[in-house]
């Protein structure tokens, strides 16, 4: 990945990558390295090997491996082997934000199932405990419903934008 300096001498790519490390990492609950890797991959003109990510991020093999796994789990990065190549590469998914929203829905659905199970097994609990579990269940039902709607709406919007010439 080529880094270029702007008129002030600062490297705009490095600045953006550092901002991703600080802000997207924190907002998503990721370590700063994952935010930085997201910044590198979203701005990269081509897929990058693990070694290229290590060099660009100034990180070790284990750190890059853990980071790319986290980004893949969160639905924003994919690992592919390009035709004719022996090495896997990592790239920002074309549908990364759809993938990110899908991941949020899946995680929230798992928490809904936890709340449902807790309510089912909580018959012997005090009224206050059952009330708090009921609030949890209501919250996760609401969140799953809203995230399903958001995913449907955003996916349609993304597909429409992609189909425009």
């Amino acid at each position: 990945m080529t880094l270029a300096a702007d008129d002030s001498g600062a490297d705009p790519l490095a600045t953006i990558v550092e901002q991703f490390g600080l802000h997207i990492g924190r907002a998503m609950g990721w370590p700063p390295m994952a935010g930085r890797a997201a910044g590198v991959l979203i701005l990269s003109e081509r897929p990058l090997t693990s070694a290229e990510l290590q060099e660009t991020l100034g990180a070790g093999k284990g750190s890059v491996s853990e980071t790319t796994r986290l980004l893949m789990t969160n639905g924003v990065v994919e690992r592919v082997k390009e035709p004719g190549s022996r090495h896997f590469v990592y790239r920002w998914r074309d549908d990364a934000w759809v993938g990110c929203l899908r991941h949020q829905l899946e995680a929230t659905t798992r928490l809904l199932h936890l709340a449902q199970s807790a309510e089912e097994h909580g018959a012997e609990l005090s009224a206050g405990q059952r009330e708090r579990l009921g609030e949890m269940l209501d919250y996760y039902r609401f969140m799953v419903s809203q995230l399903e709607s958001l995913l449907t709406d955003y996916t349609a919007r993304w597909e429409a934008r992609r189909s425009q010439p």
Side-chain angles (χ1 to χ4, degrees), residues 7-165:
D7 292 339
S8 69
D11 179 346
L13 183 58
T15 300
I16 292 169
V17 166
E18 288 305 316
Q19 291 297 311
F20 267 64
L22 290 173
H23 299 290
I24 199 169
R26 188 177 299 139
M28 296 297 291
W30 299 343
M33 178 61 71
R36 291 179 65 230
V40 166
L41 288 167
I42 199 171
L43 296 171
S44 180
E45 297 289 342
R46 61 179 178 76
L48 300 173
T49 65
S50 181
E52 289 171 324
L53 281 169
Q54 290 172 48
E55 182 180 332
T56 301
L57 295 167
K61 185 176 183 177
S63 179
V64 167
S65 176
E66 183 179 323
T67 295
T68 53
R69 188 172 27 257
L70 174 67
L71 295 174
M72 288 186 299
T73 298
N74 278 267
V76 296
V77 167
E78 60 188 351
R79 179 179 174 227
V80 296
K81 189 178 269 190
E82 295 183 318
S85 175
R86 297 181 320 154
H87 300 284
F88 283 99
V89 292
Y90 298 91
R91 67 178 173 212
W92 192 257
R93 286 176 44 167
D94 290 340
D95 66 345
W97 303 114
V98 171
C100 186
L101 192 50
R102 188 175 293 120
H103 172 73
Q104 293 290 326
L105 173 58
E106 291 166 359
T108 305
T109 300
R110 286 191 300 272
L111 293 171
L112 171 60
H113 293 154
L114 171 65
Q116 289 168 329
S117 177
E119 185 181 62
E120 290 170 11
H121 293 92
E124 304 288 324
L125 299 175
S126 72
Q129 290 169 320
R130 287 191 318 272
E131 183 178 340
R132 288 190 297 276
L133 289 177
E135 288 293 326
M136 178 183 177
L137 181 57
D138 182 55
Y139 172 79
Y140 283 112
R141 281 181 177 148
F142 173 80
M143 290 300 295
V144 165
S145 169
Q146 295 300 303
L147 287 168
E148 286 171 339
S149 180
L150 285 171
L151 180 58
T152 298
D153 292 350
Y154 185 76
T155 300
R157 178 182 176 152
W158 179 80
E159 288 172 349
R161 194 170 61 249
R162 297 280 296 183
S163 68
Q164 294 175 351

